[in-house]
Amino acid sequence: AGERPARAPEPPPEPARPSAAELEAELALLEPRVAAGAEDPELLRRFALTLAGLARARVEARDASAGYLLEDAARELERAQAAFPLDASLCLEAARCAYYRSDFEAEERWATAALSIEGQGPDTRTEALRWLGDAGARLIPARAAGDDLLVRP
């Protein structure tokens, strides 16, 4: 009678992310190749994810340069996703960048795109649902503005 229910297993730890210095070094190697017009899809993907990772590191460090990197990352993630339309990780990174830029419509659009990709694992689906829920909640005031049903006399 005094038995406790079993505890849920602890989630696995997140894999370590590269440091800002490592991402800057990677970017220094990739940027000249992309700027020279290289159209290798894997290079574009790697470049976009490196930019997004560095932007995230700068946001977390409260670095003022993060805004520019977020804009660049958003543009490059769009290009990379066009080359890899079935890569949900690109959609999720684009949703994260949109969140950091307070572009909640884009966050919602990218999360929806990630959810629409078949064959993804439960972790990817869960993360996409989190971004979708976040965007939906943040968009309620804008979407409710002018709605006669929500306006109280």
Side-chain angles (χ1 to χ4, degrees):
E3 289 185 38
R4 291 185 168 171
R7 296 179 83 197
E10 292 292 320
E14 276 193 41
R17 287 184 279 149
S19 70
E22 292 168 324
L23 291 166
E24 288 167 355
E26 176 81 4
L27 204 55
L29 294 173
L30 298 174
E31 200 163 24
R33 293 173 56 197
V34 172
E39 291 295 325
D40 173 24
E42 187 53 46
L43 174 68
L44 295 176
R45 181 182 184 282
R46 196 168 137 204
F47 181 64
L49 290 172
T50 302
L51 265 173
L54 183 57
R56 181 179 183 180
R58 296 264 174 91
V59 166
E60 291 171 354
R62 301 195 191 299
D63 186 315
S65 68
Y68 298 113
L69 281 172
L70 287 168
E71 293 298 324
D72 290 346
R75 183 186 60 250
E76 296 303 326
L77 285 163
E78 185 97 32
R79 284 180 60 198
Q81 206 275 330
F84 291 95
L86 301 178
D87 188 339
S89 69
L90 291 169
C91 296
L92 295 175
E93 279 305 315
R96 181 186 323 279
C97 281
Y99 164 79
Y100 285 141
R101 291 179 8 253
S102 298
D103 183 352
F104 304 119
E105 279 111 8
E107 179 187 3
E108 182 179 57
R109 189 172 57 254
W110 282 113
T112 301
L115 284 170
S116 72
I117 297 171
E118 296 289 327
Q120 59 193 333
D123 291 344
T124 299
R125 185 166 176 75
T126 299
E127 186 175 352
L129 287 169
R130 275 188 277 208
W131 288 122
L132 186 60
D134 177 80
R138 292 173 189 277
L139 290 169
I140 288 172
R143 290 180 174 163
D147 188 338
D148 293 338
L149 295 175
L150 296 176
V151 175
R152 305 280 184 224

